[in-house]
Amino acid sequence: MNRNIIPLLVMAALPLLSGPVHASSDDAWKQLAADVEAKCKTAAVAIENPAASVDPFGTSHYGLALVTGKPKGAKGLVAQICVYDKQKKTVEIGSELDPKKLGLAPAR
């Protein structure tokens, strides 16, 4: 076999040897968003009936949500940022943020 052809054959075979690339399905993104929403609502212990607005994709490592609602035992509206670790499937929730500074309308 001609030695000059061996590198060409190797280069031609490389794409066939690499594993297939799979894009995340719509169902997988929906499941991630549902998990982020459920865990963030559970973590928002200072909010009565919390609502979570989930970033549909988050970052490469984290799911993100803004949790809002009426603070327990008080009037008004509060917001908290929730971060979901995609690998560990755990959440951390930030402290209460002033909804007026976020441009959110006060609860009536």
Side-chain angles (χ1 to χ4, degrees):
M1 181 182 263
N2 185 342
R3 287 189 172 265
N4 292 334
I5 199 164
I6 293 174
L8 295 174
L9 289 174
V10 170
M11 288 183 357
L14 280 177
L16 301 174
L17 297 175
S18 65
V21 176
H22 297 286
S24 295
S25 68
D26 287 341
D27 289 339
W29 287 117
K30 287 177 186 175
Q31 180 59 44
L32 172 68
D35 199 30
V36 171
E37 180 177 13
K39 288 185 176 176
C40 287
K41 283 180 168 182
T42 300
V45 296
I47 299 176
E48 290 181 21
N49 299 316
S53 298
V54 178
D55 180 325
F57 306 109
T59 71
S60 60
H61 296 99
Y62 301 102
L64 306 167
L66 182 64
V67 184
T68 57
K70 180 183 172 295
K72 287 185 178 176
K75 293 182 180 180
L77 176 71
V78 294
Q80 294 177 299
I81 296 171
C82 181
V83 179
Y84 172 94
D85 186 309
K86 290 180 178 180
Q87 187 174 20
K88 295 178 185 175
K89 299 184 188 262
T90 58
V91 297
E92 291 187 32
I93 195 149
S95 60
E96 294 179 5
L97 301 171
D98 183 357
K100 291 179 184 176
K101 289 185 178 180
L102 298 173
L104 301 173
R108 293 179 188 216

